[in-house]
Structure formats: C-alpha cells, structure tokens
Amino acid sequence: MRPGARLEDLYAVSRALVGYSSVVRALRDTFEIVSRSVALASIVVIDQDRDEPGIVSYPDLDEREPAAVAALAHARWASAYLTARERSAWHGIPNGGYIVVPLVVSDGEIFGVIQFEGAKPLTRDAVKFLNVVGNQLAIALDRDRTSRRQAHDAIGLREQMLASVSHDLRSPLSIVMMAAGALEAAMPPSGTTAIQKIQRAAQRMERMIRDLLDYASIDAGQFSVNPRTQDVQSILAETVAGFEATAHVRNIELEMVVPDGLPPALCDRDRILQVTGNLIGNALKIVPAGGLVVSRADLRNDQIVISIVDTGPGVAKHDQSRLFERYWRGVHQYQGTGLGLAIARGIVHAHGGEIWVDSELGEGAAFRFTLPIAKAARPRTEPAMPEP
Amino acid sequence: MTMEPSVHAEVVETWLARAATSRSTRSLLRTFETTLCAVWSCALGTLGAVTMNAVADRVLANAVERVPCFGSLHPSVVGHLRCYELRLQSRLGAVAFGELAIGIRSTMIELLSLLGSLTADLLTPELHAQLAQLPAREREWHRAALGVS
C-alpha cells in the first residue's frame, strides 16, 4: 500500500459521512472506501438504537450462505452482548476472525457494532484503521440520532401546543355557536343566510378541533374506547343516512350490504361511527358524479371486516402505506384534512383491529378495518368476503 | 478462528495462582488493578480510548452482577489513561478472599475473551504475555514502594 494511502482513505470516509444528510445514505460509499484500503470479505453494521435493530451488510449478505449466516450471527451476538440487550449472549460465542468495533461515543452507551471480516488475516495497522472508521461511524450515527430526537421533540412540542390551543378554542367557539343559534331564532327567515354561514363555519371549526384533540390523545397513548355489543348493520345504516343528502347532490349512489346473521361487534359505537363517517365522507369527496360508494360488513377469521368500497381514482401502491400517516396528503386526497385517516387508525387500533386499503390506481379503492366479534355471539359459518 | 475461552481461562488461572499465593485480599486487589491497567495499556494503542472505555465498562458491569462487592469499582482517569481503582478500603474486611478470587478470575477471562473476539485474537498473545509478567512486576512495584533496589 502506498504510504499515506490509508490516511487519505480515512479522510475520504470522514468526507463521506459528513457529506450526506443521513448516515445510512453514506454507508455504501464508506464501505467502498474501507474495502479499497483493507481487503475485506464482509462488513455488518447493527444499530440497536431503534425498536427493531437496523442491520446493514456489505456486500449484501445472502443468508443462505454459511459464511453470511456466521458473520451475521457473530455481529448479532457482539451487539447483544455489548449493548447488554441479552445477558445470555456471552455463552456460545460463534468462532470467527472478525474485527468488531462497538458503536459508541465518548461517555455514551454502546448502541450497536460494526463488524469487519478480513479476506485474509489483518495486520495491526489495518485493525487500528478499522477501529477509527468504526469510531467515525459512531459519531456520525450519534449525530443522526440526536437530530432525530430533536425533530421528534419538536413535533411533540408542536402537538402539545396544538392540543392546548384547540382545547382553549372550544369554549369561545361554543359561545359563537350558541349566539348564532339564538340570533337565528330571533331573526326573520329572510335574514338568516349569513347566520347559517356562521353556523356552518363554526361546525367545521368544531370538527377540526375535535380531530386535533383526538389525534393528540392517540399520539400521547391516552386514547381509550368504551366497547359494548353493537349491531354493525345499524352503525352502517346510521352512517349512510348521514351522507344521503350529500351523495344525492353529487349524483353518487350509496349502497349498503350486510349479510343476514352477521354477529354483533364489540366496539365503541360513537368512535366507529367516526371511522365509517370519515371513510364514506372521503369517498364522497373523491368519487366522480355517477359513481358508487358501497358500505359493507363481512365475517372473516373470527372478525368483522367493515369495508367502504368506492369507484374513485384509487390509491397507488407506493402511497398506500403512507395514507394513514398524519398530515400526509396523497394526489387525490383521500386523506381529507390530513388527520382523519390517522385518527381512524388510532380508533381501530384501540379496538385491537387493523385498518388498510386495497386498491389499484384507476380502479377504485376498498378501505377496510376489522372489529372483534362480541364474545357471546361467536359465529359458526364464515361467508366469503368479495373483492372490491 | 477465535480462541476458545478455555485458552484464556488457562492463562488467567496460572496468573491467579501466582497472584494469590499470599492469600491477602489487599495484595490480590492490587495485582488485579495493576493487571487491568497493563491489559488496558496494551490494547489502547490498537483499539483507542473510546472503544476500550466501552469494553471495560461492559465487562465490569457484568462483573458487578456476579460479584456484588465489585460494585465498589470506580473507573477513574489517570492522565490520558483510564484505570480502575478499587475503592474497597471500607469494606475489605467484609470481602471474602475466595469470593474475590472467583470474581477476579471470571472478570479477567471475560475481558480477555472479549478483546480476543473483537480483534480476531490479534492482541491475544500480547495480552497473555502481560499476565505472564505481572506478578513479577508486582513484586518490583512493592520493592520500589519500599525503596528497596
């Protein structure tokens, strides 16, 4: 190796790690530089500073290969032991010629490892170099971690403030609504148009405030439901009835399909009405005139599946996983105000259910969620659930 | 291939047999401290202080779980080198020699095994050599402290 080449490579590693906004995006460049300097068979990084440990390997390790299995097992063992995630990790050390550098910054706790496997036995200089690379990576990951935490804290603060402001807005808004109602009653019919506008605007504000407070409660893990035995057909019928006028104006057909003998659900009626209302309301905003929105309930795997199926533009596959994130608004805005689906997910999760969308772009969408069956009414048969 | 822990155990047991001949708790502790510092110095040049601090903290945290009296082990920085001082003076009388020896044995084996595993045993021969020399060094240290040439 040319004198000074390794130092140059170390500079290059530093440049790569500070040159990206996220360290993960710099890893491949970093690994290529390191592999140029030291002949390596594999590199494995395990970052345990997450709910699920992040594992990155270079080259991409094929877990069917025994060497890859051994390398990953050793890295996992080392990480579990060094981060004290698993006391038993010390027993049964897999053999191997790996260099492991704990991911740690000065006076911090170890949060993972980077493991290098030499293509041939490594020299002391190579090991020193790899240790410094590991230290640099740890500093870069720690910087990322700090940024993530700061962003998370900032979001938390914002949500807290929103919740607080929303709560404070409720009282004056109630006064506006009551006063508008009193004025409406006192005015002749010809003079109530402006008052009705005030009332509609105040009702919209009230819904937005309710959404913000609901989301704040879900986000804080303080959201609770009051489940009771409920007839699913009546929930869907009530929701559909609430949207009939809107559907009529927009020339959209509303249908409801509930099979005979569907057992009751164990749920919080008002909250599930909120979910179905949100889903049907979104569908009505997006389905073109002449379209159809079907609300249906079915039985599948000992659960009730409620589906709101529409003939709208559908949701692209890559957007489907983000649809239930707060404030995410897709091209066609099934999301509405940006919080509705996030709240719907929170409500469904609070019932122990799941919510998802089945859709192909241009072919409509089926928003579905599950509810538990009320225990006294476990079914004997399970009719098949049709596709949208 | 990484050496089996039994190889480290053999070296540690030989070292411990020499270090514990006097059956003095105080002497054993001092030898342990000197050995830790020597192992530390030996590995520091290759692994760096950040890695070594993390490794030592991990091993000593495990040691405390096995031998509660090691809860009195306090890391302290001496110059650029971090050594582990045993602040057991007030409790020396309460620490059984046998318990201490067992704790020291398992801690040393774990430290050597770990350093071996992290470095593909690159450092192991030198670390073992440090242990082979240490009781002799300890005697030199005592003689120097007493002003005996």
Side-chain angles (χ1 to χ4, degrees):
Chain A
M1 172 168 276
R2 183 168 54 80
R6 196 158 273 156
L7 190 59
E8 283 175 20
D9 287 335
L10 200 54
Y11 289 150
V13 165
S14 294
R15 278 198 300 272
L17 288 174
V18 298
Y20 285 92
S21 55
S22 161
V23 177
V24 174
R25 294 175 61 197
L27 285 179
R28 192 147 292 272
D29 283 358
T30 303
F31 294 158
E32 280 171 9
I33 297 162
V34 174
S35 298
R36 191 172 67 203
S37 201
V38 179
L40 293 172
S42 72
I43 304 174
V44 180
V45 176
I46 298 187
D47 179 359
Q48 301 228 183
D49 188 40
R50 303 156 189 271
D51 294 337
E52 287 292 316
I55 301 179
V56 179
S57 63
Y58 179 87
D60 291 331
L61 292 179
D62 180 351
E63 292 210 42
R64 288 168 300 185
E65 294 291 328
V69 171
L72 287 166
H74 193 276
R76 285 195 182 102
W77 160 79
S79 188
Y81 169 77
L82 287 165
T83 57
R85 301 278 164 138
E86 200 182 322
R87 281 293 294 117
S88 61
W90 183 243
H91 304 293
I93 310 166
N95 285 337
Y98 306 102
I99 303 300
V100 180
V101 184
L103 294 176
V104 62
V105 293
S106 188
D107 294 328
E109 288 192 354
I110 299 173
F111 57 90
V113 297
I114 179 167
Q115 174 183 285
F116 304 94
E117 180 183 9
K120 55 186 181 183
L122 298 174
T123 63
R124 180 175 292 245
D125 279 347
V127 174
K128 276 186 193 173
F129 170 74
L130 295 176
N131 262 279
V132 176
V133 169
N135 293 157
Q136 295 262 0
L137 178 65
I139 292 167
L141 283 169
D142 186 62
R143 182 198 65 200
D144 261 21
R145 200 165 54 143
T146 307
S147 304
R148 277 201 308 274
R149 280 190 188 147
Q150 283 171 343
H152 183 264
D153 290 349
I155 289 169
L157 200 63
R158 187 189 66 189
E159 299 296 342
Q160 210 177 352
M161 210 169 85
L162 269 175
S164 172
V165 169
S166 304
H167 188 266
D168 291 348
L169 279 174
R170 278 181 124 175
S171 301
L173 188 61
S174 299
I175 295 168
V176 168
M177 288 174 80
M178 278 194 299
L183 270 176
E184 188 186 24
M187 293 276 266
S190 57
T192 57
T193 312
I195 294 170
Q196 283 165 357
K197 279 184 183 168
I198 293 171
Q199 284 176 320
R200 281 198 297 275
Q203 281 162 3
R204 275 206 306 278
M205 278 178 73
E206 192 187 34
R207 279 197 298 275
M208 288 160 74
I209 288 172
R210 187 192 63 192
D211 279 359
L212 283 167
L213 289 172
D214 278 350
Y215 189 79
S217 162
I218 289 167
D219 198 39
Q222 294 166 344
F223 187 77
S224 63
V225 290
N226 184 20
R228 294 181 189 282
T229 301
Q230 299 289 348
D231 176 33
V232 177
Q233 179 162 19
S234 85
I235 291 177
L236 285 183
E238 186 176 335
T239 317
V240 168
F243 284 98
E244 267 169 359
T246 310
H248 180 71
V249 168
R250 295 190 183 168
N251 190 26
I252 296 168
E253 201 175 337
L254 276 181
E255 273 188 23
M256 191 178 86
V257 181
V258 180
D260 289 339
L262 187 76
L266 185 67
C267 66
D268 185 322
R269 184 181 179 88
D270 289 342
R271 288 304 188 178
I272 295 306
L273 280 169
Q274 196 178 339
V275 176
T276 50
N278 177 269
L279 297 178
I280 293 179
N282 286 348
L284 286 177
K285 282 180 208 153
I286 202 167
V287 169
L292 175 67
V293 176
V294 180
S295 307
R296 59 176 306 133
D298 297 278
L299 204 56
R300 182 186 269 187
N301 299 332
D302 234 11
Q303 286 182 312
I304 291 168
V305 181
I306 293 176
S307 311
I308 308 299
V309 188
D310 67 57
T311 55
V315 184
K317 288 281 178 215
H318 62 270
D319 286 338
Q320 289 179 13
S321 60
R322 303 190 60 198
L323 204 57
F324 297 93
E325 289 175 14
R326 63 182 167 184
Y327 303 129
W328 186 83
R329 300 180 77 168
V331 177
H332 298 295
Q333 299 186 356
Y334 268 98
Q335 265 270 11
T337 60
L339 278 175
L341 287 179
I343 293 168
R345 181 175 62 175
I347 292 172
V348 172
H349 283 180
H351 284 82
E354 288 299 327
I355 187 167
W356 71 98
V357 60
D358 293 325
S359 182
E360 291 287 342
L361 203 55
E363 295 183 17
F367 285 80
R368 306 188 199 279
F369 64 94
T370 58
L371 287 177
I373 295 169
K375 275 190 180 162
R378 289 280 169 199
R380 290 185 186 166
T381 56
E382 295 191 359
M385 187 176 66
E387 293 303 314
Chain B
M1 286 299 211
T2 305
M3 286 187 197
E4 292 297 327
S6 59
V7 177
H8 300 295
E10 204 178 304
V11 172
V12 170
E13 277 157 14
T14 307
W15 164 81
L16 193 59
R18 289 199 303 271
T21 45
S22 69
R23 295 198 64 81
S24 153
T25 304
R26 191 181 297 272
S27 167
L28 182 58
L29 282 170
R30 201 161 40 230
T31 305
F32 178 46
E33 182 183 351
T34 313
T35 307
L36 278 179
C37 286
V39 166
W40 180 278
S41 303
C42 181
L44 189 70
T46 306
L47 298 181
V50 173
T51 300
M52 281 304 293
N53 276 336
V55 165
D57 285 349
R58 182 79 252 119
V59 170
L60 289 173
N62 289 349
V64 172
E65 283 189 24
R66 281 192 299 263
V67 188
C69 71
F70 276 23
S72 302
L73 274 168
H74 292 283
S76 64
V77 177
V78 181
H80 67 284
L81 176 66
R82 198 175 186 188
C83 278
Y84 286 83
E85 292 175 351
L86 294 164
R87 300 183 192 280
L88 288 170
Q89 284 81 351
S90 60
R91 298 175 58 189
L92 271 176
V95 179
F97 181 84
E99 184 196 0
L100 188 67
I102 289 167
I104 286 174
R105 176 189 175 277
S106 59
T107 302
M108 289 304 296
I109 293 171
E110 186 165 347
L111 181 63
L112 294 176
S113 299
L114 180 59
L115 290 173
S117 288
L118 300 189
T119 61
D121 278 323
L122 188 82
L123 297 177
T124 299
E126 278 181 56
L127 298 178
H128 284 185
Q130 290 293 326
L131 263 69
Q133 292 171 21
L134 264 166
R137 278 194 184 170
E138 183 74 358
R139 280 195 296 276
E140 285 169 19
W141 186 80
H142 281 300
R143 291 170 72 84
L146 294 170
V148 180
S149 59

